[in-house]
Amino acid sequence: APIAVVLHDHAAAKARGLAIERHQAGAFLGAQQRAGGRVAKTIEAVAEALTLAKKSGVDVAKVRQALLGGFAASKVLEVHGQRVIDRNFKPGFKMKLHRKDMGIAMQTAKEKGVTMPAAEVIAKQMDRAICEQGGEVDHSALGVVIEGMAGL
């Protein structure tokens, strides 16, 4: 069964009663980083939806608000969707750190024979964001890359 609690290290896991052996720590870290990959995928989906709305001439704030009222509602849509709309990329979590975490997850997946095609695409887009905007911006700045790909 997957570990529901995302922890930062072996000591924290042990303190919470999740006894893991040192040889399991790598897989545990991989699970933690995949959770970070899930955030990246959600930021990507939010950026794509808002970019489509913007390119279609629809009020992106209204689209975000409508999405918040249905199954698409998420903390990422709430917080990062607003950051994209406001063009506020002051780091909450730096792009370069999220990209590093994605790299760890992708390396763990490769070692375990697991393919992560969405993560590979998003990692390339993060690389582009870092090249264009620097690694110190918030990871929601991935939305700028998506907009650029749409010609905005």
Side-chain angles (χ1 to χ4, degrees):
I3 298 172
V5 180
V6 178
L7 300 169
H8 296 288
D9 59 25
H10 179 74
K14 193 172 181 181
R16 290 236 169 112
L18 296 173
I20 58 174
E21 300 298 322
R22 292 248 182 240
H23 70 276
Q24 294 173 313
F28 183 72
L29 180 62
Q32 173 191 355
Q33 302 312 328
R34 281 190 294 283
R38 189 171 342 135
V39 171
K41 292 170 190 170
T42 307
I43 290 172
E44 171 85 9
V46 167
E48 289 175 3
L50 296 179
T51 299
L52 179 58
K54 190 173 188 177
K55 187 83 175 191
S56 300
V58 178
D59 183 332
V60 293
K62 288 181 180 177
V63 168
R64 177 184 158 275
Q65 195 60 43
L67 291 171
L68 283 170
F71 281 129
S74 70
K75 196 66 164 175
V76 171
L77 175 60
E78 178 187 339
V79 175
H80 296 296
Q82 191 64 51
R83 285 178 181 223
V84 171
I85 291 168
D86 294 342
R87 314 312 278 176
N88 174 12
F89 303 118
K90 180 180 174 186
F93 190 66
K94 295 177 184 179
M95 181 77 73
K96 70 180 183 180
L97 297 176
H98 198 157
R99 177 59 180 93
K100 175 189 65 79
D101 290 350
M102 290 283 289
I104 292 168
M106 291 167 49
Q107 181 61 37
T108 301
K110 182 178 178 181
E111 290 168 3
K112 301 298 180 188
V114 175
T115 60
M116 296 176 60
E120 291 173 14
V121 169
I122 294 168
K124 289 177 185 174
Q125 292 168 345
M126 286 180 155
D127 290 342
R128 180 174 170 180
I130 291 167
C131 285
E132 293 175 359
Q133 303 168 64
E136 299 295 316
V137 295
D138 186 78
H139 54 175
S140 61
L142 187 58
V144 175
V145 172
I146 303 304
E147 289 176 354
M149 293 169 67
L152 294 173

